[in-house]
């Protein structure tokens, strides 16, 4: 009798623990408390800018605060790891290509990007920009290639960390142009740009939101964008393809991911509200001002996009034999 009573009590406790999330999923009472939007990079970078632009407008729609929390490090994967393992039903991550399509091919992670997290709402993408310090005499990609060939190993390129899009783009450039340049990884774009502006490092393939201010103020010189088309914020800057290196095509993309255990109804609610935020004129203006290209997707399209990018970067990393030391 005691065993049956204990088993019944355990069963009721388990049902009670599951009931709130199930109730939210059915009755639309989710969220019931403040939400966390994790960011895998330090404040001031592209991922942080995208997260804050969305979170600021998302909170009123969900009628709960959306707190942006920076968990920088390990190629943006710390934030993804925390989100994948969260069980509070109120944690999401501003996912970025680095964490979800690149790092899984380079690092041993504590979560499975394809199983433990689910793509919920695509936000947009930004091109990487090949920028050089004003101390570098190159005025074009061709000039830079010639300079790198003249002085092998003397040019250093900065990145926001090993495995970042800056790192991947530079390694593709290195292979495509046949040059010897040296990687100097930093803990985030902000620190890298300080040394780039001062001339401590010579070049970088940073993301548009991180560098647009320094470019427009004349502190850094853009040579090319890595997108297929020129960017509206820098219409005078050619693409890498126009500069003779079509293989160097890399963009940083961003989207909201949630734990795979999140009820489908909650995923749909977040998808719908994030897309409302992206469509707001204020949000569009804020994101387009830093070079973002906003491409609304259904959740199914975002899942398919994630899978395709995961495969594409895996192929790039294997082809170029990119490794993290």
């Amino acid at each position: 009798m005691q065993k049956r009573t204990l088993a019944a009590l355990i069963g009721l406790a388990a049902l009670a623990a599951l009931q709130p999330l199930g109730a939210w999923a059915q009755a639309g009472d989710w969220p019931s408390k403040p939400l966390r939007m994790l960011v895998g990079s330090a404040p001031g970078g592209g991922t942080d800018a995208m997260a804050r632009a969305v979170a600021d407008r998302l909170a009123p729609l969900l009628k709960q605060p959306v707190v942006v929390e920076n968990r920088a490090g390990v190629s943006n994967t710390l934030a993804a790891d925390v989100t994948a393992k969260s069980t509070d039903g109120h944690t999401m991550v501003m996912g970025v290509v680095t964490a979800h399509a690149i790092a899984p091919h380079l690092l041993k992670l504590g979560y499975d990007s394809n199983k433990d997290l689910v793509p919920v709402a695509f936000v947009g993408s930004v091109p990487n920009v090949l920028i050089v310090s004003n101390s570098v005499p190159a005025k074009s990609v061709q000039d830079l290639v010639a300079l790198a060939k003249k002085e092998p190993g003397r040019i250093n390129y900065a990145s926001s960390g090993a495995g970042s899009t800056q790192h991947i783009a530079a390694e593709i450039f290195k292979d495509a142009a046949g040059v010897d340049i040296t990687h100097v990884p930093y803990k985030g774009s902000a620190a890298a740009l300080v040394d780039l502006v001062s001339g401590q490092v010579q070049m970088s393939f940073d993301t548009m939101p991180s560098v647009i201010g320094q470019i427009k103020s004349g502190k850094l010189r853009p040579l090319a964008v890595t997108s297929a088309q020129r960017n509206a914020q820098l219409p005078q800057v050619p693409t890498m393809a126009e500069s003779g290196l079509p293989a160097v095509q890399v963009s940083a993309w961003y989207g909201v991911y949630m734990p795979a255990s999140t009820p489908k109804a909650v995923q749909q609610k977040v998808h719908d509200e994030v897309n409302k935020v992206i469509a707001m004129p204020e949000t569009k203006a804020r994101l387009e001002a830093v070079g973002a290209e906003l491409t609304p997707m259904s959740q199914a399209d975002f899942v398919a996009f994630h899978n395709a990018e995961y495969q594409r970067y895996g192929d790039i990393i294997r082809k170029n034999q990119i490794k993290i030391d």
Side-chain angles (χ1 to χ4, degrees), residues 35-39 47-69 92 94 123 256 273-274 277-278 280 283 286-287:
L35 296 106
R36 292 191 299 167
M37 180 176 287
L38 299 185
V39 174
T47 312
D48 184 72
M50 300 295 272
R52 293 181 189 279
V54 171
D56 288 350
R57 299 287 178 176
L58 185 61
L61 296 180
L62 293 177
K63 298 180 175 60
Q64 287 286 352
V66 180
V67 180
V68 175
E69 184 177 318
M92 62 187 76
M94 179 54 72
V123 174
V256 175
E273 301 301 343
V274 169
V277 169
I278 296 169
M280 293 177 180
T283 308
R286 181 173 173 178
L287 294 178

Side-chain angles (χ1 to χ4, degrees), residues 22 50 78 102 109 124 133 148 155 251 260 268 282 295 300 317 321:
M50 300 295 272
L78 287 182
I102 296 174
L109 302 175
S133 168
I155 293 180
S251 291
Q268 188 64 50
E282 300 89 345
T295 312
I317 288 165
Q321 299 181 350

Side-chain angles (χ1 to χ4, degrees), residues 44-281:
T47 312
D48 184 72
M50 300 295 272
R52 293 181 189 279
V54 171
D56 288 350
R57 299 287 178 176
L58 185 61
L61 296 180
L62 293 177
K63 298 180 175 60
Q64 287 286 352
V66 180
V67 180
V68 175
E69 184 177 318
N70 296 84
R71 293 289 187 98
V74 198
S75 298
N76 288 88
T77 63
L78 287 182
D81 186 273
V82 172
T83 303
K85 295 173 181 175
S86 68
T87 57
D88 62 8
H90 289 72
T91 298
M92 62 187 76
V93 62
M94 179 54 72
V96 61
V97 58
T98 306
H100 301 280
I102 296 174
H105 302 288
L106 295 169
L107 300 170
K108 185 177 181 180
L109 302 175
Y111 66 95
D112 188 324
S113 183
N114 295 325
K115 294 180 180 178
D116 298 332
L117 291 163
V118 60
V120 173
F122 187 76
V123 174
S125 62
V126 297
N128 289 61
V129 188
L130 171 54
I131 45 176
V132 295
S133 168
N134 285 329
S135 62
V136 176
K139 306 296 183 184
S140 67
V141 173
Q142 293 88 345
D143 288 349
L144 182 63
V145 170
L147 184 63
K149 287 184 175 180
K150 182 180 178 181
E151 301 179 352
R154 294 288 300 277
I155 293 180
N156 297 321
Y157 74 87
S159 81
S160 64
S164 62
T165 55
Q166 296 98 315
H167 179 203
I168 300 299
E171 289 298 309
I172 298 172
F173 168 77
K174 184 176 176 179
D175 179 69
V179 294
D180 179 12
I181 54 178
T182 303
H183 183 203
V184 182
Y186 289 79
K187 292 183 178 180
S189 289
L193 292 174
V194 169
D195 280 2
L196 188 60
V197 169
S198 68
Q200 297 299 308
V201 288
Q202 289 72 49
M203 60 175 283
S204 179
F205 279 88
D206 215 323
T207 56
M208 182 80 81
S210 298
V211 300
I212 190 68
Q214 288 87 344
I215 290 172
K216 291 194 171 183
S217 67
K219 294 179 180 178
L220 293 170
R221 184 185 313 123
L223 301 186
V225 293
T226 60
S227 49
Q229 306 293 331
R230 294 193 182 198
N231 189 272
Q233 288 297 316
L234 298 173
Q236 77 284 6
V237 178
T239 66
M240 290 298 294
E242 290 176 310
S243 303
L245 295 173
V248 188
Q249 189 171 134
V250 175
S251 291
W253 51 259
Y254 308 89
V256 175
Y257 285 71
M258 300 183 77
S261 59
T262 305
K264 187 65 179 175
V266 173
Q267 295 180 37
Q268 188 64 50
K269 185 171 185 176
V270 173
H271 171 273
D272 293 346
E273 301 301 343
V274 169
N275 274 277
K276 288 179 185 177
V277 169
I278 296 169
M280 293 177 180

